Amino acid sequence: MTRLFNDPAAFADEALEGFTAAHRRWVRPVTGGVVRATATPAGQVAVVIGGGSGHYPAFSGLVGRGLAHGAAVGNVFASPSARQIHSVATAAHAGGGVLLMYGNYAGDVLHFGQAAERLAADGVETRTFAVADDISSAAPEESAKRRGIAGDLPVFKAAAAAAEQGLPLEEVLRVAERAGARTRSFGIAFSGCTLPGADHPLFTVPEARMAVGLGIHGEPGIGEEALPTADEAARLLVETLLKELPEDVADPAGQRAAVILNGLGSVKYEELFVVYRRVAALLGDAGVEIVDPEVGELVTSFDMAGISLTLTWLDDRLEELWRAPADTPAYRKGALDAAEPDPDRASVTAAAQDTAVPAAPVVPAASDASRGAADTVLAALDAVARVVDVHADELGRIDAVAGDGDHGIGMRRGSTAAHRAAHDAHGLGAGAGTVLTRAADAWADKAGGTSGALWGTILRSLGTALGDRDAPDAARVAEGVTEASAAVRRLGGAEVGDKTMVDVLVPFADALAAATAEGLPLADAWDRAATTATAAAAGTADLLPRRGRARPHAEKSLGTPDAGAHSLALITRAVHGALLDHH
């Protein structure tokens, strides 16, 4: 259980604030995360990593010479937003381009991809790479769908060491691809983790049992087995990984491997050493030469009691990069020359940024009719925030059946931030379109994760359709929802039947378009579409997930609706109430 916190919603921000205060020798704070406190040579590729909070020392603890140039840090178990990633990457960029690296999770893929597009628009050459090392999360023939866990570290380090050697961006990317292709991980757990403010873990493991093949976001394992001895656990981990070798490794005998025995949060170091003694012996028996092993907490999951084993199969080049020195708050190896301080470090401190008087915000000019429509938009967003707040715990419970249980938390963060941003824009006289686009940016920025990216897209699509010129009629609202539906499918790649929010969004958009085409007033058309949405959300209980964190636990989700689909249905009905009140 996480015991020491203030406001759970502020936990990630306050943890990052304390981290930077404790490690100013290595890092300096920037909007969205941290970058190196030391100077980066001009023209060097910047390796920028990132992900959600709750995994320390990943990701902020891995920033420093020989490893990452910066880390974008999201909320608890939620990817950082595209705006946060863009901010960190911009601060870290030294003229040689940027490689964005992250674990292979839908939210991270979406937000880092959007950030890469923004960086490219700024003229910054950018590439992305997702680590996908967890063999339990997908079969070998679908390895691109695997999630990233403790294999993040050796892949990040290989790319960063290559960047330190002055290699150009494309070659640094090729190193990351080579390291990723030769890295495999597998984990077990004895209890789930408990998020700040929660009174129960995201999953539980029966007495004298262990979960096998778990993720690092509180997802349950893909199966359960009897609680092992330390030696039995070591054998399970080693034998499982040795069953799947890289394509160009025919036999483990005579091979070299970087080995990481990772603690997930509450397994003590002494326990790890007991397990590692047997891991080392078993790998030795298989003829594997262990190179610079790491035993400790490298990628955690709050207080989860569990361990994972990672093997990166080395060639001469990867061994050189694995052995290369590094100096970060949480990971140090070898020796480096004295570092030059970053001159930007002294230009402004985080405290000065926080206390500086911001420039007065400006909103685009809007017609009286659009400002009137903005009253209804604000009421609708208030209704969204209230219904999410009421159902947040329920949404978390639904999500925890086969996912990580944070959907309610993320939706609450996003909807609250969206309403606040909309309120501020409305107070400045913004039109309906601007109120929605400001809300979209706030939702994506504060929620992070997949739902943050998708809800940001939904609100932005609506805002673009409504604009700031006229009072939008029912047809234009329906057009905006239809475009939102198409944009979400383009961005997330999901289609009807995948057990996602798309299973509700598409029929809702279609029903709204049909009702408005019949000439129904907006409130009546929305009512009909919301009824369709509710039925569609219930229908997702009969589907098996084909995307997202629930996919590895597809069978567990049968009989339970998709959390994102359910929350969307709740929201459509709440917005109908706001439309009736402002009819």
Side-chain angles (χ1 to χ4, degrees):
M1 174 175 287
T2 305
R3 296 176 177 83
L4 296 175
F5 56 88
N6 298 307
D7 178 359
F11 183 87
D13 290 338
E14 292 181 350
L16 186 63
E17 181 183 351
F19 166 77
T20 56
H23 296 294
R24 295 197 183 280
R25 170 184 154 192
W26 291 275
V27 300
R28 63 181 177 91
V30 296
T31 300
V34 296
V35 296
R36 292 184 187 180
T38 54
T40 298
Q44 185 176 109
V45 171
V47 174
V48 174
I49 64 176
S53 297
H55 306 301
Y56 189 84
F59 295 87
S60 55
L62 303 179
V63 174
R65 291 190 302 155
L67 241 163
H69 295 75
V73 183
N75 273 303
V76 175
F77 290 176
S79 64
S81 69
R83 184 160 57 175
Q84 289 175 296
I85 300 160
H86 177 270
S87 168
V88 173
T90 299
H93 184 229
V98 174
L99 176 60
L100 301 175
M101 302 187 72
Y102 45 91
N104 190 32
Y105 297 91
D108 294 282
V109 171
L110 293 178
H111 286 290
F112 277 90
Q114 290 177 329
E117 292 174 357
R118 296 183 189 182
L119 289 164
D122 294 342
V124 177
E125 190 176 6
T126 307
R127 299 291 183 272
T128 65
F129 185 77
V131 181
D133 58 303
D134 178 19
I135 67 171
S136 69
S137 54
E141 61 271 19
E142 294 186 305
S143 59
K145 295 181 179 180
R146 289 175 169 174
R147 54 197 175 193
I149 51 176
D152 284 354
L153 173 61
V155 181
F156 292 167
K157 188 176 187 304
E164 292 281 358
Q165 294 177 348
L167 272 63
L169 180 59
E170 290 299 334
E171 292 188 35
V172 174
L173 175 60
R174 280 195 290 271
V175 166
E177 291 170 341
R178 175 70 169 167
R182 294 173 70 91
T183 298
R184 307 283 190 276
S185 299
F186 183 69
I188 58 177
F190 319 110
S191 71
C193 59
T194 304
L195 302 184
D199 58 4
H200 59 275
L202 292 176
F203 73 90
T204 59
V205 180
E207 191 73 23
R209 304 284 288 176
M210 71 173 174
V212 177
L214 62 139
I216 57 168
H217 297 94
E219 308 101 315
I222 59 173
E224 287 182 3
E225 295 185 11
L227 186 68
T229 64
D231 284 0
E232 289 168 345
R235 181 173 296 278
L236 173 65
L237 295 171
V238 171
E239 290 183 350
T240 301
L241 290 181
L242 291 184
K243 288 176 183 175
E244 188 188 316
L245 301 173
E247 291 182 0
D248 55 352
V249 176
D251 189 321
Q255 299 292 328
R256 292 161 289 167
V259 178
I260 298 173
L261 184 63
N262 177 59
L264 284 162
S266 64
V267 174
K268 304 303 295 181
Y269 272 68
E270 288 87 346
E271 295 175 272
L272 292 173
F273 293 138
V274 171
V275 175
Y276 183 74
R277 54 176 269 289
R278 189 58 181 156
V279 166
L282 291 168
L283 289 173
D285 291 344
V288 178
E289 179 186 347
I290 297 173
V291 179
D292 284 3
E294 296 286 347
V295 179
E297 294 183 350
L298 284 310
V299 180
T300 62
S301 185
F302 269 112
D303 59 337
M304 184 184 291
I307 59 176
S308 64
L309 180 66
T310 297
L311 301 181
T312 298
W313 298 94
L314 303 173
D315 54 23
D316 291 344
R317 181 68 173 127
L318 290 177
E319 180 174 350
E320 174 193 4
L321 299 171
W322 176 242
R323 290 186 182 274
D327 184 26
T328 78
Y331 185 87
R332 298 166 204 169
K333 177 181 285 189
L336 290 161
D337 295 334
E340 293 291 329
D342 186 342
D344 290 338
R345 183 182 184 187
S347 63
V348 59
T349 65
Q353 290 176 344
D354 290 343
T355 58
V357 178
V362 177
V363 298
S367 68
D368 289 342
S370 183
R371 284 196 293 268
D375 292 342
T376 303
V377 169
L378 184 61
L381 289 169
D382 176 56
V384 170
R386 283 188 283 108
V387 76
V388 167
D389 186 60
V390 169
H391 292 276
D393 290 343
E394 174 195 3
L395 295 173
R397 285 192 297 272
I398 293 172
D399 190 36
V401 170
D404 57 9
D406 70 343
H407 184 68
I409 295 171
M411 290 291 290
R412 178 183 276 154
R413 281 194 301 250
S415 60
T416 300
H419 179 251
R420 186 179 300 118
H423 180 273
D424 292 344
H426 181 264
L428 294 170
T434 295
V435 167
L436 277 165
T437 55
R438 295 287 173 91
D441 288 343
W443 193 314
D445 202 34
K446 291 300 182 182
T450 306
S451 66
L454 298 181
W455 273 100
T457 296
I458 290 170
L459 296 184
R460 180 165 288 278
S461 296
L462 282 168
T464 300
L466 267 57
D468 292 328
R469 285 178 169 269
D470 308 310
D473 57 16
R476 194 187 305 177
V477 172
E479 289 172 7
V481 173
T482 297
E483 174 51 34
S485 173
V488 164
R489 282 177 284 165
R490 286 195 303 269
L491 181 62
E495 293 294 344
V496 172
D498 286 344
K499 194 165 186 172
T500 71
M501 70 184 303
V502 168
D503 289 296
V504 171
L505 184 56
V506 169
F508 173 76
D510 291 347
L512 185 63
T516 56
E518 293 176 17
L520 289 181
L522 178 58
D524 293 341
W526 196 284
D527 181 27
R528 181 189 295 180
T531 299
T532 299
T534 300
T540 63
D542 299 326
L543 299 176
L544 288 173
R546 296 200 290 254
R547 290 183 173 272
R549 291 180 190 167
R551 182 185 52 78
H553 315 288
E555 297 294 337
K556 292 184 178 181
S557 77
L558 274 178
T560 302
D562 176 70
H566 184 56
S567 62
L568 175 55
L570 291 172
I571 285 170
T572 62
R573 180 52 63 192
V575 169
H576 175 246
L579 293 175
L580 286 177
D581 291 342
H582 286 73
H583 187 58

